[in-house]
Each structure stands twice: as structure tokens, then as C-alpha cells.
Amino acid sequence: MAIKYFGWGEVFRSSLVQFLPEGWEDKAQELGALTRRRKIVSAETLLRLLLIHLADGCSMRETVVRAREAELVDISDVALLKRLKSSSEWLRWLSVHLAEQVHLPVQKPHWLQDFNVRLVDASVITEPGSTGSDWRLHYSIQLFGLSCDHFQITDQKVGESFRNYPVARGDLLIGDRIYGRIAGMNYVAEHGGDFLVRLSNKAFKVMKNEHEEFHLLDHFRALEYGEIGDFDVFYRVSKDQLKPIRLCVIKKSPEIAERSKKGVLRTASKKQQSIDEETLELHEYVFVVTSLARDVLSSEEVMSLYRMRWQVELAFKRLKSILGLGHLPKTDPDSAKAWLHGKMVVALLTAAIVEQGRFFSPWGYPLRIRG
């Protein structure tokens, strides 16, 4: 008996299609996803097929079995892999336009025109049926354009670091706390790039000068809400050498600060760890370090740029939560990039649905106002 998935085709057309950008079907042909219409004759069929693999976390083989049983399409897993690869640019295009719907930055502001802004992150991939984590995926995504420009798959012994990515002059790498390590920052600078990274307390000593440490809270406590602190400091690259760096900080609102403290205390409790008072108080602030000089980006622009990263991080969190589902094509760079672009579509489509849910109507769909 064929599996009908409870009328999933009708659900797709009546519910999910409303979140897709205008012209999405035509773009499938224009961008090479539907150059051949043998068996897969429409963009709708192709996207439904890819979503079984990307959203449901099915392997290629399981995906084609489900598609056959649902009377969607009858193709081989090899043919599906080819379709995924050819859909890479179409999936990226869908991501960019879905990002606009959930108010993520997709247009580069004029003050960043000289930079190739890249967001770096990593996620653990657990193979289905495994008893533990198997791989770590390191990936870099263009902030403006949401294109995956690099990925690397390693075992769990390889930690998260800027050193996992190729860097060229003009690159600006943005990372979270775990990337705020001296070796990684030096690596970026040595290759002609710049970095912006959130600083983790006690990751390394921040220095006022060769002999005096810069105590963070002594300077942060004087800040008012909305005021940005901007300090010229140093970090030690060797016993006899200091390197200049810029530290920017802003105070969180009382509500956000309290939520952050509760979160870190909850995590520490689960891990049976203790949190000292200084570390807890530092959760009242967002502070970053950067190699960018003050005459290149102002402190407001530095913090705005990190905020852009944080907006995309919301999509990343959804992306990372589903990265462990399904099979990443590990030996084929083209299919792996297409897989990442497709996962971003799923994450942003989820975000768009959640956004719409905040304004849910009793009849279950938005009205189209005639203009």
C-alpha cells in the first residue's frame, strides 16, 4: 500500500509555498536545478524530494524509497545525489530570499564594502545508528549572500579554530567565544585577514601594557546602558612580545543579563561546576576583540557587525540542531556544499514559519491584500 504522508503534497502547496520567495519555480530552471525534467518535471516535486532528505534527515537511499512509496517520483539514490548537486545554487538563492523574510542581513552596508565578511562555526555530526559523535563539520558562510565558501570535516580531536579556514587579504572572520584564542587570531593576521570575535573570560590575559593587566570589570562597571566602551589593549604572543588589539563592550539590559546569568548557572549545575562571581558578573556585558582599527570601523559599527552575526546565529542554532540528522556526502565537495545550502533553507524556512506563527490567525493563513 502506498504511503500518502497524510496529503503532504496538498499541505506543501497550501502552507509551505506561501513562505517561498516569488519566482522560486522559475529560478529552479534558470539556476540549473531543472535543466533536465526526466521524471522530476517540476520545481515543486524537486523541492519536496530534497526536503525529505534535508529536513527529515533521511539517507539518499531512504529518501528515494519514501518518495516512491508516496508516489512522488521514482528515481535512484545516485540520481538524487546528482539532483542535489545541481540544485546547490538554487538552494542558496532560496536561502538569501528566505533570510530577507526573517529580517536577516543580506545586503552589504557601504562601510563593509572593502571586506569579505565570513561567519565561521562548527557542528558535530552524528551518523544515524551510531552510539556517539563521529565527525565535526567546520564551515564558513558569507554573511552577505549566505554562500558556503569553505567546509572541512574532521574527527572530534580537531577543535574549533580560525586555523581550520583558508584566509586571504580582505577577509573578515567573525566567530563566537571558542574562536577567541591567540593562535587562531595570529593565524588570521599572518594571512592578511581581520577578525572579530567574542572574548571568553580567562581565554588569555588582556594587558594594559607590558607589565600591567587590564582588569575587565574595573573598566566595564563605569558604562551606562547603551554606551559602548572602546579600549586599546594588548595580548601576549611571547614572553617578550605584546600585540595590540581592540576591545569593544556594551552593557546588556537587566532582563537579558538576568537571563544570561540563569543560563550559565543552569549549565554549570548540570555539569556540577562552580562559577566565580567575576565570571558571573561579566555575563552582564557583551565584549568582543577585533584587529580592526578605529579609523576603519567605529565602535558602533563593530558592535553592529557582531549583532548581524548574532542574528544569523539564530538561524545557525536551528541549522546546527538539524545538522546531525541525515547523511553528509563526505567525499564530494560539490554535494557537501549543496547539502549545507539545503540545510540553510530548512533552517530559514523554519524561522519564517515561526515568525508567521507569532501572528497566527484563526483561519490558519495570511490574507493577501489587493493593492
Side-chain angles (χ1 to χ4, degrees):
M1 183 176 67
I3 302 171
K4 297 295 186 182
Y5 288 105
F6 304 99
W8 202 83
E10 289 71 22
V11 171
F12 181 90
R13 284 186 287 274
S14 64
S15 299
L16 288 185
V17 166
Q18 66 178 289
F19 297 102
L20 298 176
E22 186 176 349
W24 67 276
E25 292 173 291
D26 293 336
K27 279 291 179 181
Q29 171 110 24
E30 180 183 329
L31 297 176
L34 270 181
T35 52
R36 295 183 62 201
R37 292 179 179 263
R38 185 170 176 267
K39 294 192 175 182
I40 299 179
V41 297
S42 69
E44 178 188 323
T45 299
L46 177 59
L47 187 56
R48 287 175 59 188
L49 177 65
L50 292 176
L51 286 177
I52 296 174
H53 173 57
L54 296 164
D56 285 357
C58 300
S59 67
M60 292 284 176
R61 185 167 298 176
E62 184 180 357
T63 297
V64 298
V65 170
R66 289 192 180 195
R68 187 182 307 121
E69 290 298 311
E71 298 180 359
L72 176 63
V73 65
D74 186 0
I75 63 172
S76 68
D77 54 344
V78 174
L80 174 60
L81 180 57
K82 290 180 179 178
R83 289 287 186 169
L84 175 64
K85 290 167 65 174
S86 65
S87 299
S88 182
E89 185 56 24
W90 180 50
L91 292 169
R92 190 196 69 80
W93 182 88
L94 286 171
S95 295
V96 170
H97 288 77
L98 284 168
E100 291 176 342
Q101 290 188 40
V102 294
H103 315 297
L104 295 182
V106 292
Q107 298 296 325
K108 184 185 290 189
H110 68 88
W111 43 275
L112 286 172
Q113 291 303 316
D114 294 334
F115 295 100
N116 177 33
V117 186
R118 304 167 60 193
L119 310 180
V120 302
D121 213 331
S123 185
V124 170
I125 300 175
T126 303
E127 293 285 359
S130 172
T131 57
S133 300
D134 299 307
W135 309 98
R136 177 170 279 129
L137 172 66
H138 310 265
Y139 56 96
S140 166
I141 293 178
Q142 303 275 335
L143 175 57
F144 305 103
L146 298 181
S147 173
C148 172
D149 60 24
H150 179 77
F151 72 93
Q152 180 182 359
I153 301 161
T154 68
D155 60 29
Q156 291 263 36
K157 295 178 182 178
V158 177
E160 297 179 49
S161 170
F162 284 138
R163 291 179 294 177
N164 296 324
Y165 305 90
V167 178
R169 188 168 300 278
D171 283 352
L172 171 52
L173 275 65
I174 308 179
D176 212 348
R177 289 187 183 94
I178 199 165
Y179 292 90
R181 298 290 187 268
I182 290 175
M185 296 189 302
N186 284 343
Y187 167 82
V188 174
E190 288 165 1
H191 287 78
D194 286 287
F195 57 83
L196 171 60
V197 62
R198 197 161 181 176
L199 182 62
S200 178
N201 185 33
K202 301 176 182 177
F204 55 85
K205 278 190 178 182
V206 181
M207 306 297 293
K208 274 186 179 180
N209 52 53
E210 187 176 348
H211 305 291
E212 189 177 1
E213 186 176 351
F214 183 95
H215 295 286
L216 301 179
L217 286 173
D218 290 350
H219 298 82
F220 292 0
R221 287 172 179 148
L223 294 173
E224 301 291 337
Y225 292 113
E227 180 184 4
I228 299 175
D230 192 344
F231 306 95
D232 293 315
V233 293
F234 302 87
Y235 65 93
R236 195 175 296 280
V237 293
S238 68
K239 184 177 180 181
D240 302 317
Q241 183 184 4
L242 295 179
K243 195 164 188 174
I245 199 171
R246 188 172 164 206
L247 170 64
C248 294
V249 55
I250 191 168
K251 193 172 187 178
K252 298 177 184 178
S253 70
E255 296 80 11
I256 296 297
E258 187 62 26
R259 190 186 309 166
S260 179
K261 288 181 177 180
K262 286 182 179 178
V264 73
L265 288 172
R266 191 181 308 116
T267 301
S269 177
K270 288 180 180 178
K271 296 181 177 180
Q272 297 184 330
Q273 297 173 340
S274 59
I275 300 292
D276 61 66
E277 290 298 321
E278 178 183 342
T279 298
L280 194 61
E281 187 177 349
L282 282 170
H283 279 270
E284 296 178 11
Y285 306 89
V286 175
F287 46 104
V288 299
V289 291
T290 181
S291 58
L292 297 165
R294 200 168 286 110
D295 61 351
V296 176
L297 290 188
S298 68
S299 57
E300 290 80 7
E301 288 168 339
V302 168
M303 299 310 292
S304 293
L305 180 55
Y306 193 80
R307 180 176 177 271
M308 291 179 196
R309 191 265 179 198
W310 181 248
Q311 286 178 283
V312 177
E313 174 70 11
L314 298 180
F316 275 15
K317 286 183 183 298
R318 294 187 179 95
L319 175 64
K320 292 170 75 172
S321 72
I322 59 178
L323 274 173
L325 303 178
H327 296 256
L328 171 66
K330 288 177 273 296
T331 60
D332 186 337
D334 291 336
S335 54
K337 285 188 178 182
W339 185 83
L340 280 166
H341 291 158
K343 287 293 189 179
M344 183 62 80
V345 169
V346 175
L348 291 169
L349 186 58
T350 302
I353 294 170
V354 170
E355 182 78 11
Q356 183 67 44
R358 295 176 182 174
F359 305 99
F360 187 73
S361 63
W363 45 83
Y365 56 87
L367 293 174
R368 296 183 183 272
I369 308 298
R370 293 180 180 177

